[in-house]
């Protein structure tokens, strides 16, 4: 059974750093893209970027490039989303999701990681 | 970025009704469009991809049509469990933008 399991909720202060994770199981992790999607009440779903763990090919949405870093560790079947300097506006639910090829949809999703950034 | 505009933003319908949600792209995206269903507190779930291909396990009352810039999601006979928010997503080019969502309420 394909599963994506994300790390737990986080409460952080502005200016702090954060790295959240997404562990895949039940499939060949290296051969599927992992994408990250932000969800906020005001802006709905936003595609942030993704990584192909096999060769670490990484693509970012222009809206998020420079603000986040996406990485993956093939040995642990885990993808990561990190911030070096959090802002209050980063408060959101973050989902990871799998897709197979270019033009393919997000077919399996993690359960989401809630990030709250507040002083 | 390619903009996706869904209509309507909110829809109220009765069990057994046929409902249609539209997604319009700001430029042509061939058939690289997916539809997702999201229920409160849950992750989105893939319903349809390549504009018209039903994801495995999704009830056949869901269907999708369209290509280029105009797409539709249809539910042929609405069921109580279809109460959710529906999103389209284009997969033609980076960034893979989503529509703003259509909230479907069952009367």
């Amino acid at each position: 059974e394909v599963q994506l399991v994300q790390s737990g909720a986080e409460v952080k202060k502005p200016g702090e750093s954060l790295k959240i994770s997404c562990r895949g199981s039940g499939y060949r992790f290296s051969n599927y893209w992992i994408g990250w999607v932000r969800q906020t009440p005001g802006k709905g779903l936003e595609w942030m970027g993704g990584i192909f763990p096999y060769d670490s090919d990484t693509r970012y949405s222009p809206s998020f490039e420079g603000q986040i870093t996406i990485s993956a560790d093939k040995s642990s079947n885990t993808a990561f989303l990190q911030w070096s300097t959090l802002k209050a506006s980063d408060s959101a639910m973050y989902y990871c999701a799998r897709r197979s090829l270019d033009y393919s949809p997000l077919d399996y999703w993690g359960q989401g990681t809630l990030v709250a950034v507040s002083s | 970025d390619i903009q996706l505009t869904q209509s309507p933003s909110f829809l109220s319908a009765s069990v057994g009704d046929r409902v249609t949600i539209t997604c319009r792209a700001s430029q042509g995206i061939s058939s690289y469009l997916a539809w997702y269903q999201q229920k409160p507190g849950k992750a989105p779930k893939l319903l349809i991809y390549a504009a018209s291909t039903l994801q495995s396990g999704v009830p056949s009352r869901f269907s999708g049509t369209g290509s280029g810039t105009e797409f539709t999601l249809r539910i042929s006979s609405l069921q109580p469990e279809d109460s959710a928010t529906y999103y389209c997503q284009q997969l033609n080019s980076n960034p893979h933008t989503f529509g703003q969502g259509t909230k479907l309420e069952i009367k």
Side-chain angles (χ1 to χ4, degrees):
Chain A
E1 178 195 7
V2 174
Q3 282 193 310
L4 295 173
V5 178
Q6 297 184 230
S7 50
E10 302 274 1
V11 179
K12 306 293 272 187
K13 290 181 166 45
E16 293 185 331
S17 62
L18 176 64
K19 191 173 188 177
I20 63 175
S21 66
C22 169
R23 187 171 188 279
S25 62
Y27 72 100
R28 192 177 292 273
F29 181 78
S30 292
N31 290 7
Y32 288 77
W33 284 86
I34 293 287
W36 288 94
V37 175
R38 182 171 81 175
Q39 184 166 36
T40 57
K43 286 196 169 184
L45 297 171
E46 298 173 274
W47 187 79
M48 304 173 73
I51 188 165
F52 191 62
Y54 179 82
D55 59 5
S56 294
D57 183 11
T58 308
R59 300 174 192 176
Y60 294 96
S61 165
S63 298
F64 290 92
E65 186 142 30
Q67 312 301 312
I68 58 169
T69 301
I70 294 171
S71 60
D73 176 9
K74 290 184 291 186
S75 67
S76 63
N77 291 352
T78 305
F80 302 96
L81 174 63
Q82 69 180 90
W83 297 259
S84 58
T85 307
L86 284 163
K87 298 175 281 192
S89 57
D90 294 318
S91 297
M93 179 70 82
Y94 293 88
Y95 292 102
C96 66
R98 185 191 86 158
R99 69 181 178 96
S100 57
L101 302 166
D102 279 346
Y103 309 114
S104 294
L106 301 168
D107 60 356
Y108 285 89
W109 293 64
Q111 83 277 16
T113 296
L114 185 63
V115 174
V117 183
S118 174
S119 54
Chain B
D1 296 5
I2 295 174
Q3 310 300 318
L4 296 180
T5 304
Q6 289 183 232
S7 60
S9 296
F10 178 81
L11 180 55
S12 182
S14 300
V15 172
D17 283 354
R18 173 182 165 118
V19 301
T20 301
I21 299 169
T22 298
C23 177
R24 289 189 174 88
S26 59
Q27 61 191 79
I29 58 171
S30 187
S31 296
Y32 300 125
L33 187 102
W35 290 96
Y36 302 90
Q37 175 194 66
Q38 186 178 33
K39 296 184 178 181
K42 299 292 188 182
K45 171 189 170 185
L46 176 64
L47 296 176
I48 286 168
Y49 61 96
S52 60
T53 302
L54 201 64
Q55 174 70 347
S56 176
V58 174
S60 58
R61 63 180 180 273
F62 291 92
S63 64
T65 61
S67 67
T69 61
E70 187 147 340
F71 302 85
T72 59
L73 171 69
R74 288 194 175 90
I75 309 174
S76 60
S77 179
L78 203 58
Q79 299 300 303
E81 61 267 29
D82 299 335
S83 176
T85 301
Y86 294 83
Y87 295 93
C88 57
Q89 184 196 22
Q90 65 84 15
L91 300 147
N92 184 73
S93 61
N94 184 29
H96 295 164
T97 43
F98 290 88
Q100 82 280 11
T102 296
K103 187 172 183 178
L104 174 58
E105 173 195 87
I106 310 298
K107 289 180 186 172

